[in-house]
Amino acid sequence: MKTLNLPDHDIILKKVKSNGFVFFEDVLNHSDFNFLRNFWHEYFKNLILKKPKSSNVFGASQRLGDRSYSSYKKDRKVYMYRHKNYIWDEPLNELTVSIAKQLHEIRNYAIGLDKDHGLKYNSKREAFYTQVNLYPKDGGYLLPHTDGRSDYLMLNCMFSLTFKPEDFDKGGLYVIINNKKIDLDKIAKPNSVLFFDGNLTHGIDPVFSKNQDSLGRLAIFPMIQFFLLFFF
């Protein structure tokens, strides 16, 4: 894997502060992108057949030391499949975790944190992990929400493995800025990375595809969240 082709973290932060979001193109190596796309397509194809037992897609009561897991949930708020790979656990796919970790470190720099924040134990018990989401092509969705209501910019980042209109015809990720709904999946391109302010309202409109080979909307996220202590 090559180093990600991204500008200086100051540029990333400036563009997100100015516009609410920014895409950077040709960030990923083309062969790495194809490898990840194929790997996760097969993984979720099999996962759909098995239907994970866990419905904890939002990571309620997650604890330091928990095992990585896959989940599935379909209710009025969300319809999705998700895989979480915790940093202390064996990676299901090493390249995925390596790229997500690089993005996490870049995000840390951009918002003024130490490079390894979330990668080592800290008093806030905030830990990095890798997350892969699939919104199925038969109407996968996530209701509009914000990831926080902070006075400070919440820098989210992700990269998609499937695209509009090649892999799905309708729906996908949007963000609302100044009461205007922006279809981010209409802008996304292969090998690109998206940074956006998680304080902005965003969601996933129901995903539909006529492509028989498509699974829906598939994307990878570097995440950081609070964890409870693990008690035996």
Side-chain angles (χ1 to χ4, degrees):
M1 187 199 76
K2 295 182 179 179
T3 302
L4 299 179
N5 181 30
L6 280 167
D8 186 82
H9 58 269
D10 289 337
I11 295 175
I12 296 172
L13 190 63
K14 183 178 179 180
K15 287 185 176 293
V16 175
K17 282 184 174 180
S18 175
N19 303 317
F21 72 93
V22 62
F23 279 97
F24 294 102
E25 298 182 9
D26 299 319
V27 174
L28 302 173
N29 177 282
H30 188 66
S31 61
D32 286 347
F33 170 82
N34 285 335
F35 173 81
L36 293 176
R37 177 180 164 99
N38 292 334
F39 177 89
W40 288 108
H41 181 277
E42 288 304 307
Y43 179 80
F44 279 100
K45 182 179 179 181
N46 292 325
L47 194 67
I48 289 171
L49 296 175
K50 296 176 183 177
K51 280 287 190 300
K53 293 180 181 179
S54 174
S55 61
N56 189 17
V57 296
F58 297 120
S61 300
Q62 59 190 359
R63 301 168 299 178
L64 292 169
D66 277 351
R67 296 295 303 273
S68 302
Y69 69 99
S70 295
S71 56
Y72 159 79
K73 193 175 185 69
K74 185 176 183 180
D75 61 16
R76 65 182 184 84
K77 294 182 179 180
V78 63
Y79 172 28
M80 71 180 304
Y81 291 82
R82 172 172 281 173
H83 178 75
K84 291 188 175 189
N85 207 143
Y86 296 129
I87 189 172
W88 51 80
D89 216 349
E90 287 294 321
L92 183 62
N93 181 276
E94 290 186 5
L95 181 60
T96 302
V97 174
S98 178
I99 292 175
K101 184 180 175 183
Q102 279 197 59
L103 288 172
H104 173 72
E105 292 172 344
I106 291 166
R107 176 176 57 193
N108 279 346
Y109 275 133
I111 58 178
L113 296 175
D114 290 339
K115 177 182 177 181
D116 61 359
H117 178 75
L119 302 176
K120 297 179 180 179
Y121 181 80
N122 60 76
S123 59
K124 292 183 178 180
R125 300 202 297 275
E126 292 177 330
F128 157 81
Y129 62 92
T130 304
Q131 182 168 284
V132 190
N133 295 344
L134 171 68
Y135 292 91
K137 67 176 182 181
D138 59 343
Y141 62 88
L142 178 63
L143 290 185
H145 65 284
T146 62
D147 295 331
R149 296 185 181 277
S150 172
D151 293 333
Y152 301 97
L153 184 145
M154 178 179 284
L155 190 60
N156 289 357
C157 60
M158 54 145 290
F159 60 97
S160 294
L161 297 176
T162 58
F163 300 90
K164 193 177 183 178
E166 295 84 0
D167 300 295
F168 54 98
D169 312 298
K170 297 180 181 178
L173 177 65
Y174 64 85
V175 65
I176 297 175
I177 302 176
N178 297 325
N179 295 316
K180 181 180 179 182
K181 189 175 184 179
I182 301 171
D183 184 347
L184 295 178
D185 275 326
K186 202 171 183 179
I187 306 171
K189 296 179 180 179
N191 307 318
S192 66
V193 169
L194 166 67
F195 291 85
F196 70 98
D197 185 355
N199 290 311
L200 296 171
T201 298
H202 57 283
I204 302 287
D205 274 338
V207 173
F208 293 99
S209 177
K210 299 175 184 177
N211 183 345
Q212 291 185 343
D213 295 325
S214 173
L215 297 180
R217 184 184 188 276
L218 186 57
I220 297 174
F221 299 75
M223 301 291 294
I224 185 166
Q225 281 187 353
F226 167 81
F227 284 76
L228 299 171
L229 290 175
F230 192 100
F231 294 102
F232 293 94

